[in-house]
Every structure is written in structure tokens, then in C-alpha cells.
Amino acid sequence: MLDYVDLEADLDEEERMVRDTAREFVESEYKPIVGDHYIDGTFPTDIIPKLGELGFYAPNLDGYGLPGLSETAYGLLMQELEAGDSGLRSMASVQGALVMYPIHAYGSESQRERWLPKLGRGEAVGCFGLTEPEHGSNPAGMDTHAEADRDGDGYVLNGSKTWITNAPIADVAVVWARDRSANGSPVRGFLVETDRDGVTTNEIHEKLSLRASITGEISLQNVFVPEANVLPGVSGMKGPLSCLTQARYGIAWGAVGAARDCFETAREYARDREQFDGPIARFQLQQEKLAEMATQITTAQLLAYRLAELKSEGRLRPQQVSMAKRNNVRMARDQSRIAREILGGNGITADYSPMRHMSNMETVYTYEGTHDIHSLILGHDLTGIAAFE
Ligand code: TGC
Ligand code: FAD
């Protein structure tokens, strides 16, 4: 596997073990089935507990049965899962970074005890409801709101969320809503069990990207949740945005995995495929493509490794994560297309991964903050002038 500047040399035993376990799972159990799931537009839900058994949900958190692995180990895990498919990494990202992280960081003790062990084992599935039909890049404009219940023992939620990964199969949704009963209507996080009266989730079927992942809507109509279901530790947009930083970190690593899988597929194909009486890998035009891919992947990998160092030292800034998400996903989007080119006609089939990765990258380029939004976050950081509006 491509590791051009020998980053492996700096990994400890535990990090190698996590990487190898994930790689082995992806190669032997996931790659053989992903093509069919992609064509059918399904996710293999039977592997959800298996991913839990392997410790793939939030392994960088500790307590509640979670191992507290290093940020590098977590990044390597995301890299290996996305080498399989962005839908597989999404499953782990949403469960770990967007559902378990806020419960761990902002939840009450009883919320943590109730949900973290089950979510960690894959016995329950969570989803993260931030985006709304009219509020995507600007979630602060959200319409979903909570009013104090008349009896004063909870809240009534109304609103709708869309493009929510795993909503149709989730047991619990972390729903971000404006608390109209508090001064200034701050955004709060609510743990909403999906079997509550008034909750409906519909699947979005017409996707041409991230097909091996379940995506849906959440409709909330006069849904009562008790006070005990509110995340007590955070108020304001910092709540959801801090979760996004965790997930974007995983995506910065994951995109490298998808691009690496495209590179390895293209390299092998170029060596095997013969035209004009020899392998196409002997043509300078093809070698230039492989050289550029390897260089782009390696530089993206270096950025991801540096983020891990900063994160483990507690010095990582969200803007640095934006730079890596923006750069590494654009890299994977561009390089997956080049890999597809090297595969010729075969490259458009589900027998090979590059076109699937290329199509997935349209989603990854868009979710967790579009490429444009990350440009603006960086522009703001670099100039001190916000250009969002
Ligand atoms: P702003 O006024 O800038 O900040 C509000 C408060 O939040 C803090 N903050 C952050 N904290 C941690 N991480 C971040 N990335 C943070 N960004 C901001 C900030 O310091 C402030 O704190 P405080 O204490 O002063 O209150 O917030 P804003 O509402 O103006 O945000 C602007 C903007 C455009 C950057 C933000 O809205 C944004 O990032 N928009 C993009 C939306 C987005 O990424 N949506 C993703 C939805 S989830 C998803 O896509 C899951 S895909 C899952 C999968 O399948 O993998
Ligand atoms: P819009 O915000 O409408 O943007 C449309 C275009 O306008 C984009 O090109 C954007 O870059 C540009 N634009 C917007 N604002 C500006 C600006 N200020 N300056 C310049 N250009 C701008 N969300 C969740 O909450 N939970 C999930 O689990 C989840 N999973 C997803 C899964 C999939 C498959 C997809 C596709 C999306 C998912 N999302 C999820 C939603 C995702 O985060 C949003 O799609 C994303 O934030 C963009 O919002 P939007 O689609 O409404 O686009």
C-alpha cells in the first residue's frame, strides 16, 4: 500500500493493530459486497454490530467501555474504512463523532450510561439532525424549535431535518433545535428516541452518490421529550459545530483512504492491462498520472498526520480541520477521476472502485461543510473578515 514517505515507521503497536484490523475487515468482508450494495442503494446493516465488536465506533473516546485510542489510531481507522467506501466511513463517523461524541462531551451521566455502551457495541444506531430543507450551509437559521411543555417536565419539538445519514434505521437522533422557552432562543441538543409519538423518518432513495449509505429525513410533529433528554453541557451553535469538527477530522483522513484505494487499483490495472504489445504502465502519460496521484495522496496524508499530533496535544483549531477537509476531499475527488481514466471502459463498472469513490466524493465534498464553506472559514481566519453573508 502506498506510504511513500514511510509514515508507518512512526506508528506504535496499537496504531498498527487498529489499521491492520480495519484493513483486513475491509478487504475480506466489505470489498466483496460493496459493489452490489452500491448498485442496489443499500447499506449492509448486518455489519453494524460487527463494526461495534471490532471497536470501530468512537475508539478515541474513553470510559463506558470505549478504549481511548490515540487520534492517529482513530484517523487510520477512518482512512481504512473509506478505502472501502465513503458510506462505510460515514456509518462510523456519524455513530462515533456525531452521536457518541456529543453524548460523551455534553451529556448527563445517565445519558452517557444509557447510550454510550450500546452505541459503541453497535446494538443501537444514532443519527445527527442538523441540516434542514431550508438551512444547509447556514444551520444557525434553523426553524426546528422546542417549547417548554405545559406541565414543565420537558419540551415539545416541531420541525424537520433532511439529508440525515442513518435516520431511517436510527434508534436515537441527536436533534439540534432552538429552545424558544429560554432567553435568546439558544440552540440545544435533544436526544430523541425515534419511536416517540410524532417522529417519522423517510428514506431518500434517488441518490446518485453515496449509494451504499442510508440517508433520510426526520419530521418532528409535537414530539414530547423529557427534560432528561436535553444535553445539559452545551448551549448555542458551538454544540453542533464542535461535533462537526470531530467528524471533519475523520473525513480528512478518510478521503486519503479513498484516494489511495483508487491509486492502488489504477497502478495494478496499468501493470496488467496490455495495449500496443505491452502494459499501459510503460507509457509516460500513464506514469505521469500515477506520479501525480502518489504525490497528492502523500501530501494529504502528511496534513492528516499533523492534525493528529495537534489534536492529541489539545492544540487543534477548527480552522485547521477545515483546511484538511477541504484539501483532502478535493484531492480525492480529482484523483479518483484520474484513476477512473486509467481503467478505460472497465473503469465505469462496479467491478472496480474508482468510479464509485469518484461519485461518493461529490457527497463528501458537500457534506460536513461544502468546499465553499471551508474556503470561507479559512478566508475569515486568514483575513479576519467574515464573508459568509
Ligand atoms: P459562529 O458564530 O462562527 O460560531 C458559533 C460558536 O461556535 C464555535 N464554533 C466552533 N466550535 C467548534 N468547531 C467548529 N468548527 C466551530 N465553528 C464555530 C464558535 O467559536 C462560537 O462559539 P461561542 O463560544 O463564541 O459561541 O457560527 P455560525 O453559525 O456563524 O457558523 C458559520 C459556519 C458557516 C462556519 C457554520 O454554520 C458551518 O460550518 N456551516 C456548514 C454546515 C455544516 O457543515 N453542516 C454539516 C451537517 S452534518 C453533516 O453533514 C453530516 S454528514 C455525516 C456523514 O455521513 O459522514
Ligand atoms: P446549500 O447550503 O443550499 O448550498 C448550495 C450551494 O451554495 C453550495 O455550492 C454551497 O457551497 C453554496 N453556498 C452556500 N452558502 C454560501 C456562501 N455563504 N457563499 C458562497 N457559496 C455558498 N446533514 C446532517 O445534519 N446530518 C447528516 O447526517 C447529513 N448527512 C448527509 C448525507 C448526504 C448523502 C448528504 C448529501 C448530505 C448530508 N447532510 C447531513 C447535509 C449536508 O451537510 C448539507 O448538504 C451541506 O451542509 C450543504 O447544505 P445544502 O445541501 O443545503 O446546500
Short mmCIF file of all heavy atoms in Angstrom, two decimals, residues 283-347:
data_model
loop_
_atom_site.label_atom_id
_atom_site.label_comp_id
_atom_site.label_asym_id
_atom_site.label_seq_id
_atom_site.Cartn_x
_atom_site.Cartn_y
_atom_site.Cartn_z
N PHE A 283 3.77 3.48 -20.55
CA PHE A 283 3.60 4.75 -21.25
C PHE A 283 3.86 5.90 -20.28
O PHE A 283 3.35 5.93 -19.16
CB PHE A 283 2.17 4.89 -21.81
CG PHE A 283 1.83 3.86 -22.85
CD1 PHE A 283 0.66 3.12 -22.76
CD2 PHE A 283 2.67 3.64 -23.95
CE1 PHE A 283 0.33 2.17 -23.72
CE2 PHE A 283 2.34 2.69 -24.91
CZ PHE A 283 1.17 1.95 -24.79
N GLN A 284 4.61 6.88 -20.76
CA GLN A 284 4.93 8.04 -19.90
C GLN A 284 3.66 8.78 -19.46
O GLN A 284 3.59 9.28 -18.33
CB GLN A 284 5.87 9.00 -20.63
CG GLN A 284 7.26 8.42 -20.81
CD GLN A 284 8.21 9.37 -21.51
OE1 GLN A 284 7.87 10.52 -21.79
NE2 GLN A 284 9.40 8.90 -21.81
N LEU A 285 2.67 8.84 -20.35
CA LEU A 285 1.43 9.55 -19.98
C LEU A 285 0.78 8.91 -18.75
O LEU A 285 0.27 9.60 -17.87
CB LEU A 285 0.43 9.53 -21.15
CG LEU A 285 0.72 10.48 -22.31
CD1 LEU A 285 -0.30 10.25 -23.43
CD2 LEU A 285 0.66 11.92 -21.84
N GLN A 286 0.78 7.56 -18.71
CA GLN A 286 0.17 6.87 -17.57
C GLN A 286 1.04 7.03 -16.32
O GLN A 286 0.55 7.17 -15.21
CB GLN A 286 -0.09 5.40 -17.88
CG GLN A 286 -0.94 5.16 -19.12
CD GLN A 286 -2.22 5.99 -19.14
OE1 GLN A 286 -2.89 6.15 -18.13
NE2 GLN A 286 -2.55 6.54 -20.30
N GLN A 287 2.35 7.00 -16.52
CA GLN A 287 3.25 7.15 -15.36
C GLN A 287 3.11 8.53 -14.73
O GLN A 287 3.17 8.68 -13.50
CB GLN A 287 4.70 6.89 -15.78
CG GLN A 287 4.94 5.44 -16.11
CD GLN A 287 6.41 5.06 -16.19
OE1 GLN A 287 7.29 5.89 -15.99
NE2 GLN A 287 6.68 3.80 -16.49
N GLU A 288 2.91 9.54 -15.58
CA GLU A 288 2.75 10.90 -15.02
C GLU A 288 1.50 10.95 -14.14
O GLU A 288 1.50 11.55 -13.06
CB GLU A 288 2.66 11.92 -16.15
CG GLU A 288 2.73 13.37 -15.70
CD GLU A 288 1.42 13.98 -15.18
OE1 GLU A 288 0.34 13.48 -15.56
OE2 GLU A 288 1.48 14.91 -14.37
N LYS A 289 0.43 10.27 -14.59
CA LYS A 289 -0.81 10.27 -13.79
C LYS A 289 -0.57 9.59 -12.44
O LYS A 289 -1.01 10.08 -11.39
CB LYS A 289 -1.94 9.55 -14.54
CG LYS A 289 -2.43 10.33 -15.75
CD LYS A 289 -3.47 9.55 -16.54
CE LYS A 289 -3.75 10.28 -17.85
NZ LYS A 289 -4.62 9.52 -18.75
N LEU A 290 0.13 8.46 -12.47
CA LEU A 290 0.39 7.74 -11.21
C LEU A 290 1.31 8.55 -10.30
O LEU A 290 1.12 8.60 -9.08
CB LEU A 290 0.99 6.36 -11.50
CG LEU A 290 0.02 5.38 -12.18
CD1 LEU A 290 0.75 4.13 -12.68
CD2 LEU A 290 -1.11 4.96 -11.22
N ALA A 291 2.30 9.21 -10.90
CA ALA A 291 3.23 10.03 -10.10
C ALA A 291 2.47 11.17 -9.42
O ALA A 291 2.68 11.46 -8.23
CB ALA A 291 4.33 10.58 -10.99
N GLU A 292 1.58 11.78 -10.16
CA GLU A 292 0.83 12.91 -9.59
C GLU A 292 -0.11 12.41 -8.48
O GLU A 292 -0.23 13.03 -7.42
CB GLU A 292 0.05 13.62 -10.71
CG GLU A 292 -0.68 14.88 -10.27
CD GLU A 292 0.26 15.98 -9.74
OE1 GLU A 292 1.47 15.97 -10.04
OE2 GLU A 292 -0.25 16.83 -8.97
N MET A 293 -0.77 11.28 -8.75
CA MET A 293 -1.68 10.73 -7.72
C MET A 293 -0.91 10.44 -6.44
O MET A 293 -1.34 10.81 -5.34
CB MET A 293 -2.32 9.42 -8.20
CG MET A 293 -3.43 9.62 -9.19
SD MET A 293 -4.03 8.03 -9.79
CE MET A 293 -5.04 7.58 -8.45
N ALA A 294 0.23 9.76 -6.58
CA ALA A 294 1.01 9.37 -5.39
C ALA A 294 1.46 10.62 -4.63
O ALA A 294 1.45 10.65 -3.39
CB ALA A 294 2.21 8.52 -5.80
N THR A 295 1.83 11.66 -5.36
CA THR A 295 2.30 12.88 -4.71
C THR A 295 1.16 13.58 -3.97
O THR A 295 1.32 14.00 -2.81
CB THR A 295 2.89 13.84 -5.78
OG1 THR A 295 3.86 13.11 -6.54
CG2 THR A 295 3.54 15.05 -5.15
N GLN A 296 0.02 13.67 -4.62
CA GLN A 296 -1.12 14.34 -3.98
C GLN A 296 -1.60 13.58 -2.75
O GLN A 296 -1.96 14.17 -1.73
CB GLN A 296 -2.28 14.49 -4.98
CG GLN A 296 -1.99 15.39 -6.16
CD GLN A 296 -1.70 16.82 -5.74
OE1 GLN A 296 -2.18 17.28 -4.71
NE2 GLN A 296 -0.87 17.51 -6.50
N ILE A 297 -1.63 12.26 -2.85
CA ILE A 297 -2.07 11.44 -1.72
C ILE A 297 -1.09 11.60 -0.55
O ILE A 297 -1.49 11.76 0.61
CB ILE A 297 -2.20 9.95 -2.14
CG1 ILE A 297 -3.36 9.80 -3.12
CG2 ILE A 297 -2.38 9.05 -0.92
CD1 ILE A 297 -3.38 8.48 -3.88
N THR A 298 0.18 11.59 -0.86
CA THR A 298 1.20 11.69 0.19
C THR A 298 1.13 13.04 0.90
O THR A 298 1.21 13.11 2.14
CB THR A 298 2.61 11.45 -0.41
OG1 THR A 298 2.59 10.16 -1.03
CG2 THR A 298 3.69 11.51 0.65
N THR A 299 0.94 14.12 0.16
CA THR A 299 0.89 15.43 0.82
C THR A 299 -0.38 15.55 1.68
O THR A 299 -0.35 16.12 2.78
CB THR A 299 1.00 16.59 -0.18
OG1 THR A 299 0.06 16.39 -1.22
CG2 THR A 299 2.38 16.66 -0.80
N ALA A 300 -1.48 14.96 1.20
CA ALA A 300 -2.71 14.98 2.00
C ALA A 300 -2.54 14.15 3.28
O ALA A 300 -2.99 14.53 4.37
CB ALA A 300 -3.88 14.44 1.18
N GLN A 301 -1.84 13.02 3.13
CA GLN A 301 -1.57 12.15 4.29
C GLN A 301 -0.76 12.90 5.35
O GLN A 301 -1.04 12.81 6.55
CB GLN A 301 -0.72 10.98 3.80
CG GLN A 301 -1.23 9.63 4.15
CD GLN A 301 -0.53 8.56 3.32
OE1 GLN A 301 0.44 8.81 2.59
NE2 GLN A 301 -1.03 7.34 3.43
N LEU A 302 0.22 13.67 4.90
CA LEU A 302 1.06 14.43 5.84
C LEU A 302 0.22 15.43 6.63
O LEU A 302 0.41 15.60 7.84
CB LEU A 302 2.18 15.15 5.09
CG LEU A 302 3.31 14.22 4.61
CD1 LEU A 302 4.20 14.93 3.61
CD2 LEU A 302 4.13 13.73 5.81
N LEU A 303 -0.71 16.07 5.96
CA LEU A 303 -1.59 17.03 6.64
C LEU A 303 -2.43 16.30 7.71
O LEU A 303 -2.57 16.77 8.84
CB LEU A 303 -2.47 17.71 5.59
CG LEU A 303 -3.32 18.91 5.98
CD1 LEU A 303 -2.52 19.96 6.73
CD2 LEU A 303 -3.95 19.53 4.72
N ALA A 304 -2.95 15.13 7.34
CA ALA A 304 -3.77 14.37 8.29
C ALA A 304 -2.94 13.95 9.51
O ALA A 304 -3.40 14.06 10.66
CB ALA A 304 -4.36 13.14 7.60
N TYR A 305 -1.72 13.48 9.28
CA TYR A 305 -0.87 13.09 10.40
C TYR A 305 -0.57 14.27 11.33
O TYR A 305 -0.54 14.14 12.55
CB TYR A 305 0.45 12.48 9.89
CG TYR A 305 0.37 10.99 9.68
CD1 TYR A 305 -0.22 10.46 8.53
CD2 TYR A 305 0.84 10.08 10.62
CE1 TYR A 305 -0.32 9.09 8.31
CE2 TYR A 305 0.75 8.70 10.42
CZ TYR A 305 0.18 8.22 9.27
OH TYR A 305 0.07 6.87 9.07
N ARG A 306 -0.35 15.43 10.74
CA ARG A 306 -0.05 16.62 11.57
C ARG A 306 -1.28 17.00 12.40
O ARG A 306 -1.16 17.37 13.57
CB ARG A 306 0.39 17.78 10.66
CG ARG A 306 0.67 19.06 11.40
CD ARG A 306 1.82 18.91 12.40
NE ARG A 306 2.04 20.13 13.19
CZ ARG A 306 2.51 20.17 14.43
NH1 ARG A 306 2.84 19.04 15.05
NH2 ARG A 306 2.68 21.31 15.06
N LEU A 307 -2.48 16.88 11.80
CA LEU A 307 -3.69 17.17 12.57
C LEU A 307 -3.78 16.25 13.79
O LEU A 307 -4.17 16.68 14.88
CB LEU A 307 -4.96 16.95 11.75
CG LEU A 307 -5.37 17.90 10.65
CD1 LEU A 307 -6.85 17.72 10.33
CD2 LEU A 307 -5.10 19.35 10.99
N ALA A 308 -3.40 15.00 13.60
CA ALA A 308 -3.48 14.04 14.72
C ALA A 308 -2.56 14.49 15.86
O ALA A 308 -2.94 14.42 17.04
CB ALA A 308 -3.10 12.64 14.25
N GLU A 309 -1.38 14.96 15.50
CA GLU A 309 -0.45 15.43 16.54
C GLU A 309 -1.05 16.62 17.30
O GLU A 309 -1.06 16.66 18.52
CB GLU A 309 0.88 15.87 15.91
CG GLU A 309 1.74 14.72 15.45
CD GLU A 309 2.98 15.20 14.68
OE1 GLU A 309 3.16 16.42 14.48
OE2 GLU A 309 3.75 14.34 14.27
N LEU A 310 -1.57 17.58 16.53
CA LEU A 310 -2.15 18.78 17.16
C LEU A 310 -3.34 18.40 18.03
O LEU A 310 -3.53 18.93 19.13
CB LEU A 310 -2.59 19.79 16.09
CG LEU A 310 -1.45 20.46 15.30
CD1 LEU A 310 -2.03 21.24 14.11
CD2 LEU A 310 -0.64 21.40 16.19
N LYS A 311 -4.15 17.46 17.53
CA LYS A 311 -5.36 17.06 18.27
C LYS A 311 -4.95 16.39 19.59
O LYS A 311 -5.53 16.66 20.63
CB LYS A 311 -6.22 16.13 17.41
CG LYS A 311 -7.65 15.96 17.88
CD LYS A 311 -8.50 15.31 16.78
CE LYS A 311 -9.99 15.34 17.06
NZ LYS A 311 -10.46 14.47 18.09
N SER A 312 -3.96 15.52 19.52
CA SER A 312 -3.61 14.80 20.75
C SER A 312 -2.95 15.74 21.76
O SER A 312 -3.00 15.50 22.96
CB SER A 312 -2.74 13.59 20.46
OG SER A 312 -1.59 14.02 19.81
N GLU A 313 -2.37 16.84 21.27
CA GLU A 313 -1.78 17.83 22.20
C GLU A 313 -2.82 18.85 22.65
O GLU A 313 -2.49 19.80 23.36
CB GLU A 313 -0.63 18.56 21.50
CG GLU A 313 0.58 17.69 21.23
CD GLU A 313 1.53 18.30 20.19
OE1 GLU A 313 1.38 19.49 19.85
OE2 GLU A 313 2.41 17.56 19.72
N GLY A 314 -4.07 18.72 22.15
CA GLY A 314 -5.12 19.67 22.53
C GLY A 314 -4.93 21.04 21.88
O GLY A 314 -5.44 22.04 22.37
N ARG A 315 -4.19 21.08 20.76
CA ARG A 315 -3.90 22.38 20.13
C ARG A 315 -4.59 22.55 18.78
O ARG A 315 -4.33 23.50 18.05
CB ARG A 315 -2.38 22.51 19.93
CG ARG A 315 -1.59 22.59 21.21
CD ARG A 315 -0.20 23.16 20.98
NE ARG A 315 0.66 22.28 20.18
CZ ARG A 315 1.40 22.70 19.17
NH1 ARG A 315 1.37 23.96 18.78
NH2 ARG A 315 2.17 21.85 18.51
N LEU A 316 -5.43 21.59 18.41
CA LEU A 316 -6.03 21.63 17.07
C LEU A 316 -7.13 22.69 17.02
O LEU A 316 -8.04 22.70 17.84
CB LEU A 316 -6.61 20.25 16.73
CG LEU A 316 -7.19 20.09 15.34
CD1 LEU A 316 -6.11 20.27 14.27
CD2 LEU A 316 -7.82 18.69 15.19
N ARG A 317 -7.07 23.56 16.00
CA ARG A 317 -8.10 24.58 15.84
C ARG A 317 -9.07 24.12 14.75
O ARG A 317 -8.65 23.51 13.75
CB ARG A 317 -7.47 25.92 15.43
CG ARG A 317 -6.57 26.51 16.51
CD ARG A 317 -6.21 27.97 16.20
NE ARG A 317 -5.56 28.13 14.92
CZ ARG A 317 -6.01 28.95 13.94
NH1 ARG A 317 -7.10 29.65 14.09
NH2 ARG A 317 -5.35 29.03 12.81
N PRO A 318 -10.36 24.44 14.87
CA PRO A 318 -11.32 24.03 13.85
C PRO A 318 -10.93 24.48 12.44
O PRO A 318 -11.15 23.77 11.46
CB PRO A 318 -12.62 24.71 14.28
CG PRO A 318 -12.48 24.94 15.74
CD PRO A 318 -11.02 25.13 16.01
N GLN A 319 -10.29 25.63 12.33
CA GLN A 319 -9.91 26.14 11.01
C GLN A 319 -8.86 25.25 10.36
O GLN A 319 -8.82 25.11 9.12
CB GLN A 319 -9.37 27.58 11.12
CG GLN A 319 -10.42 28.59 11.56
CD GLN A 319 -10.61 28.66 13.08
OE1 GLN A 319 -10.10 27.83 13.84
NE2 GLN A 319 -11.37 29.65 13.53
N GLN A 320 -8.00 24.65 11.18
CA GLN A 320 -7.00 23.72 10.62
C GLN A 320 -7.69 22.47 10.09
O GLN A 320 -7.29 21.91 9.07
CB GLN A 320 -5.98 23.37 11.70
CG GLN A 320 -5.11 24.56 12.10
CD GLN A 320 -4.38 24.37 13.42
OE1 GLN A 320 -4.84 23.64 14.29
NE2 GLN A 320 -3.23 25.02 13.56
N VAL A 321 -8.75 22.06 10.78
CA VAL A 321 -9.52 20.90 10.31
C VAL A 321 -10.22 21.25 8.99
O VAL A 321 -10.27 20.45 8.06
CB VAL A 321 -10.55 20.46 11.38
CG1 VAL A 321 -11.35 19.27 10.90
CG2 VAL A 321 -9.84 20.12 12.67
N SER A 322 -10.72 22.49 8.90
CA SER A 322 -11.35 22.92 7.65
C SER A 322 -10.36 22.85 6.50
O SER A 322 -10.70 22.42 5.39
CB SER A 322 -11.84 24.37 7.78
OG SER A 322 -13.05 24.40 8.50
N MET A 323 -9.12 23.29 6.74
CA MET A 323 -8.13 23.24 5.66
C MET A 323 -7.92 21.80 5.18
O MET A 323 -7.86 21.53 3.99
CB MET A 323 -6.80 23.84 6.13
CG MET A 323 -5.74 23.79 5.04
SD MET A 323 -4.15 24.48 5.54
CE MET A 323 -4.43 26.23 5.31
N ALA A 324 -7.82 20.88 6.13
CA ALA A 324 -7.55 19.49 5.76
C ALA A 324 -8.76 18.84 5.09
O ALA A 324 -8.62 18.11 4.12
CB ALA A 324 -7.13 18.70 6.99
N LYS A 325 -9.96 19.12 5.61
CA LYS A 325 -11.16 18.55 4.98
C LYS A 325 -11.25 19.06 3.55
O LYS A 325 -11.47 18.32 2.60
CB LYS A 325 -12.41 18.93 5.80
CG LYS A 325 -13.70 18.18 5.45
CD LYS A 325 -14.52 18.79 4.34
CE LYS A 325 -15.83 18.06 4.10
NZ LYS A 325 -16.57 18.59 2.92
N ARG A 326 -11.07 20.36 3.40
CA ARG A 326 -11.20 21.00 2.08
C ARG A 326 -10.16 20.43 1.10
O ARG A 326 -10.47 20.04 -0.01
CB ARG A 326 -11.02 22.50 2.26
CG ARG A 326 -11.10 23.31 0.98
CD ARG A 326 -10.92 24.79 1.33
NE ARG A 326 -10.99 25.61 0.14
CZ ARG A 326 -9.98 25.82 -0.68
NH1 ARG A 326 -8.80 25.27 -0.44
NH2 ARG A 326 -10.13 26.59 -1.75
N ASN A 327 -8.91 20.40 1.55
CA ASN A 327 -7.83 19.97 0.66
C ASN A 327 -7.93 18.49 0.32
O ASN A 327 -7.84 18.08 -0.84
CB ASN A 327 -6.47 20.25 1.32
CG ASN A 327 -5.34 19.82 0.41
OD1 ASN A 327 -5.09 20.46 -0.60
ND2 ASN A 327 -4.68 18.71 0.73
N ASN A 328 -8.12 17.66 1.36
CA ASN A 328 -8.01 16.22 1.14
C ASN A 328 -9.20 15.69 0.35
O ASN A 328 -9.06 14.76 -0.45
CB ASN A 328 -7.84 15.49 2.48
CG ASN A 328 -6.49 15.83 3.13
OD1 ASN A 328 -5.77 16.69 2.64
ND2 ASN A 328 -6.17 15.16 4.21
N VAL A 329 -10.38 16.28 0.56
CA VAL A 329 -11.54 15.81 -0.22
C VAL A 329 -11.41 16.27 -1.67
O VAL A 329 -11.70 15.51 -2.59
CB VAL A 329 -12.86 16.29 0.42
CG1 VAL A 329 -14.04 15.93 -0.45
CG2 VAL A 329 -13.01 15.70 1.82
N ARG A 330 -10.97 17.48 -1.87
CA ARG A 330 -10.77 17.93 -3.27
C ARG A 330 -9.74 17.03 -3.95
O ARG A 330 -9.90 16.62 -5.09
CB ARG A 330 -10.31 19.38 -3.32
CG ARG A 330 -10.05 19.82 -4.77
CD ARG A 330 -9.59 21.25 -4.90
NE ARG A 330 -8.41 21.50 -4.08
CZ ARG A 330 -7.91 22.71 -3.86
NH1 ARG A 330 -8.51 23.77 -4.38
NH2 ARG A 330 -6.84 22.87 -3.12
N MET A 331 -8.68 16.69 -3.23
CA MET A 331 -7.65 15.80 -3.77
C MET A 331 -8.27 14.47 -4.18
O MET A 331 -8.06 13.97 -5.28
CB MET A 331 -6.55 15.62 -2.70
CG MET A 331 -5.40 14.72 -3.07
SD MET A 331 -5.73 12.96 -2.97
CE MET A 331 -5.98 12.69 -1.22
N ALA A 332 -9.07 13.89 -3.28
CA ALA A 332 -9.66 12.57 -3.57
C ALA A 332 -10.65 12.67 -4.73
O ALA A 332 -10.75 11.76 -5.57
CB ALA A 332 -10.35 12.02 -2.33
N ARG A 333 -11.36 13.78 -4.80
CA ARG A 333 -12.32 13.98 -5.89
C ARG A 333 -11.56 14.03 -7.24
O ARG A 333 -11.94 13.37 -8.20
CB ARG A 333 -13.05 15.29 -5.64
CG ARG A 333 -14.25 15.55 -6.54
CD ARG A 333 -14.63 17.00 -6.34
NE ARG A 333 -15.96 17.32 -6.82
CZ ARG A 333 -16.29 18.51 -7.28
NH1 ARG A 333 -15.40 19.47 -7.34
NH2 ARG A 333 -17.52 18.76 -7.68
N ASP A 334 -10.47 14.79 -7.28
CA ASP A 334 -9.70 14.92 -8.52
C ASP A 334 -9.00 13.61 -8.89
O ASP A 334 -9.03 13.16 -10.03
CB ASP A 334 -8.63 16.02 -8.38
CG ASP A 334 -9.23 17.40 -8.25
OD1 ASP A 334 -10.43 17.56 -8.53
OD2 ASP A 334 -8.49 18.34 -7.85
N GLN A 335 -8.37 13.00 -7.90
CA GLN A 335 -7.54 11.83 -8.20
C GLN A 335 -8.38 10.59 -8.51
O GLN A 335 -7.96 9.72 -9.28
CB GLN A 335 -6.55 11.55 -7.06
CG GLN A 335 -5.60 12.70 -6.78
CD GLN A 335 -4.92 13.24 -8.05
OE1 GLN A 335 -4.52 12.47 -8.94
NE2 GLN A 335 -4.79 14.56 -8.15
N SER A 336 -9.58 10.49 -7.94
CA SER A 336 -10.43 9.34 -8.29
C SER A 336 -10.82 9.41 -9.76
O SER A 336 -10.93 8.38 -10.44
CB SER A 336 -11.67 9.29 -7.38
OG SER A 336 -12.38 10.50 -7.44
N ARG A 337 -10.96 10.60 -10.28
CA ARG A 337 -11.31 10.75 -11.70
C ARG A 337 -10.14 10.33 -12.58
O ARG A 337 -10.32 9.66 -13.60
CB ARG A 337 -11.70 12.21 -11.97
CG ARG A 337 -12.29 12.44 -13.35
CD ARG A 337 -12.95 13.80 -13.46
NE ARG A 337 -12.14 14.86 -12.86
CZ ARG A 337 -11.09 15.44 -13.43
NH1 ARG A 337 -10.72 15.09 -14.66
NH2 ARG A 337 -10.41 16.38 -12.81
N ILE A 338 -8.93 10.66 -12.18
CA ILE A 338 -7.75 10.26 -12.96
C ILE A 338 -7.62 8.73 -12.94
O ILE A 338 -7.31 8.10 -13.95
CB ILE A 338 -6.45 10.91 -12.38
CG1 ILE A 338 -6.59 12.43 -12.28
CG2 ILE A 338 -5.24 10.52 -13.21
CD1 ILE A 338 -6.76 13.17 -13.56
N ALA A 339 -7.85 8.14 -11.77
CA ALA A 339 -7.76 6.67 -11.67
C ALA A 339 -8.79 6.03 -12.59
O ALA A 339 -8.50 5.05 -13.28
CB ALA A 339 -7.99 6.24 -10.22
N ARG A 340 -9.96 6.58 -12.62
CA ARG A 340 -11.02 6.05 -13.49
C ARG A 340 -10.57 6.10 -14.95
O ARG A 340 -10.75 5.15 -15.71
CB ARG A 340 -12.29 6.90 -13.28
CG ARG A 340 -13.61 6.25 -13.51
CD ARG A 340 -13.91 5.89 -14.95
NE ARG A 340 -13.78 7.00 -15.88
CZ ARG A 340 -13.47 6.86 -17.17
NH1 ARG A 340 -13.24 5.67 -17.70
NH2 ARG A 340 -13.35 7.92 -17.94
N GLU A 341 -9.90 7.17 -15.31
CA GLU A 341 -9.39 7.33 -16.68
C GLU A 341 -8.44 6.19 -17.04
O GLU A 341 -8.51 5.63 -18.13
CB GLU A 341 -8.54 8.60 -16.71
CG GLU A 341 -9.09 9.75 -17.50
CD GLU A 341 -8.19 10.98 -17.28
OE1 GLU A 341 -6.99 10.97 -17.66
OE2 GLU A 341 -8.70 11.94 -16.69
N ILE A 342 -7.54 5.85 -16.11
CA ILE A 342 -6.52 4.82 -16.37
C ILE A 342 -7.18 3.47 -16.63
O ILE A 342 -6.66 2.64 -17.37
CB ILE A 342 -5.51 4.75 -15.19
CG1 ILE A 342 -4.72 6.06 -15.11
CG2 ILE A 342 -4.57 3.57 -15.32
CD1 ILE A 342 -3.78 6.18 -13.91
N LEU A 343 -8.35 3.26 -16.04
CA LEU A 343 -9.04 1.98 -16.20
C LEU A 343 -9.85 1.88 -17.50
O LEU A 343 -10.49 0.85 -17.76
CB LEU A 343 -9.97 1.72 -15.00
CG LEU A 343 -9.35 0.95 -13.84
CD1 LEU A 343 -8.22 1.73 -13.19
CD2 LEU A 343 -10.40 0.62 -12.79
N GLY A 344 -9.84 2.93 -18.31
CA GLY A 344 -10.57 2.87 -19.57
C GLY A 344 -12.03 2.51 -19.35
O GLY A 344 -12.65 2.89 -18.35
N GLY A 345 -12.59 1.73 -20.28
CA GLY A 345 -14.01 1.36 -20.22
C GLY A 345 -14.34 0.59 -18.96
O GLY A 345 -15.40 0.79 -18.36
N ASN A 346 -13.44 -0.30 -18.54
CA ASN A 346 -13.69 -1.07 -17.32
C ASN A 346 -13.90 -0.16 -16.11
O ASN A 346 -14.55 -0.54 -15.14
CB ASN A 346 -12.52 -2.02 -17.03
CG ASN A 346 -12.55 -3.22 -17.96
OD1 ASN A 346 -13.62 -3.67 -18.38
ND2 ASN A 346 -11.37 -3.73 -18.34
N GLY A 347 -13.33 1.04 -16.20
CA GLY A 347 -13.42 1.98 -15.08
C GLY A 347 -14.82 2.47 -14.79
O GLY A 347 -15.06 3.01 -13.71
#
